[in-house]
């Protein structure tokens, strides 16, 4: 709990500083369609983790997530 509180305070300080200087928050998707990421990084790349949802749709997770 102490580490979580510290992390929250630090993140809050960074976000406040960014906002003061005109930055805007963005929200990026965690999961994307596989074809979208393959188009960005290329086929056979080690930069995406491929997944399949329960409906059979191919999804992917970027390497940094």
């Amino acid at each position: 709990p102490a580490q979580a509180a510290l992390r929250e305070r630090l993140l809050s300080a960074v976000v406040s500083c960014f906002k003061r200087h005109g930055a805007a928050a963005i929200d990026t998707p965690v999961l994307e369609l596989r074809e979208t990421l393959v188009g960005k990084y290329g086929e056979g790349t080690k930069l995406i983790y491929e997944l399949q949802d329960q409906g059979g749709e191919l999804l992917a997770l970027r390497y940094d997530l």
Side-chain angles (χ1 to χ4, degrees), residues 42-64:
E43 187 73 42
T45 183
K46 302 288 183 189
L47 298 177
I48 60 174
Y49 299 97
E50 296 182 6
L51 307 164
Q52 188 172 9
D53 71 4
Q54 292 178 349
E57 188 168 36
L58 295 176
L59 303 171
L61 184 66
R62 290 191 330 257
Y63 70 95
D64 58 341

Side-chain angles (χ1 to χ4, degrees), residues 2-18:
Q3 288 179 338
L6 176 60
R7 182 180 185 276
E8 189 174 321
R9 282 197 325 265
L10 290 172
L11 185 57
S12 178
V14 170
V15 168
S16 295
C17 180
F18 279 32

Side-chain angles (χ1 to χ4, degrees), residues 21-36:
H21 294 281
I26 62 169
D27 190 19
T28 58
V30 174
L31 292 175
E32 295 188 39
L33 291 174
R34 180 187 176 278
E35 62 192 42
T36 301

